[in-house]
């Protein structure tokens, strides 16, 4: 029989957004847990399809202080999905 977990269910770590593991610039991300506007979720930057919530997320990107780093990351790693630097995948395909 396994020993009981010491971790209380209330103290389980919150799931990290995909950006939380990328480096220090993400600490300043407008979509990060400390700066994200109320009502938006990390998944709004990873939509299955574009919609009204995606448009709100892109508006947040427009004022994000690390927009350049975010877009550079997506371009150098070839991120195939999600909003990065305010651009969705189809838009990123046209960035040179
Ligand atoms: S540019 Fe947009 S997706 Fe990138 S870190 Fe900023 S808010 Fe997040």
């Amino acid at each position: 029989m396994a020993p009981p977990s010491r971790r209380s269910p209330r103290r389980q770590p919150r799931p990290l957004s995909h950006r939380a593991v990328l480096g220090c610039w993400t600490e300043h991300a407008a979509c990060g847990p400390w700066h994200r506007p109320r009502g938006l979720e990390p998944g709004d930057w990873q939509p299955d399809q574009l919609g009204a919530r995606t448009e709100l997320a892109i508006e947040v990107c427009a004022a994000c202080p690390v927009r350049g780093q975010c877009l550079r990351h997506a371009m150098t790693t070839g991120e195939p999905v999600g909003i990065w630097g305010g651009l969705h995948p189809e838009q990123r395909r046209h960035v040179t």
Side-chain angles (χ1 to χ4, degrees):
M1 182 173 177
S5 171
R6 291 185 183 175
R7 213 176 243 177
S8 158
R10 287 187 193 162
R11 297 189 61 101
Q12 293 289 326
R14 292 185 341 173
L16 296 173
S17 78
H18 65 294
R19 290 172 228 285
V21 295
L22 297 178
C24 62
W25 61 267
T26 61
E27 294 175 13
H28 306 287
C31 60
W34 309 116
H35 307 293
R36 187 172 50 247
R38 281 179 182 239
L40 290 177
E41 300 293 332
D44 294 325
W45 280 266
Q46 297 285 304
D48 293 332
Q49 54 187 341
L50 302 179
R53 292 182 68 86
T54 313
E55 294 302 319
L56 289 174
I58 290 172
E59 286 179 22
V60 172
C61 293
C64 178
V66 292
R67 184 176 179 183
Q69 291 99 319
C70 179
L71 181 58
R72 190 174 314 120
H73 167 82
M75 298 305 293
T76 56
T77 61
E79 286 284 352
V81 296
I83 306 299
W84 295 83
L87 301 180
H88 57 71
E90 180 60 29
Q91 292 171 316
R92 290 199 300 275
R93 276 191 269 281
H94 299 289
V95 173
T96 55

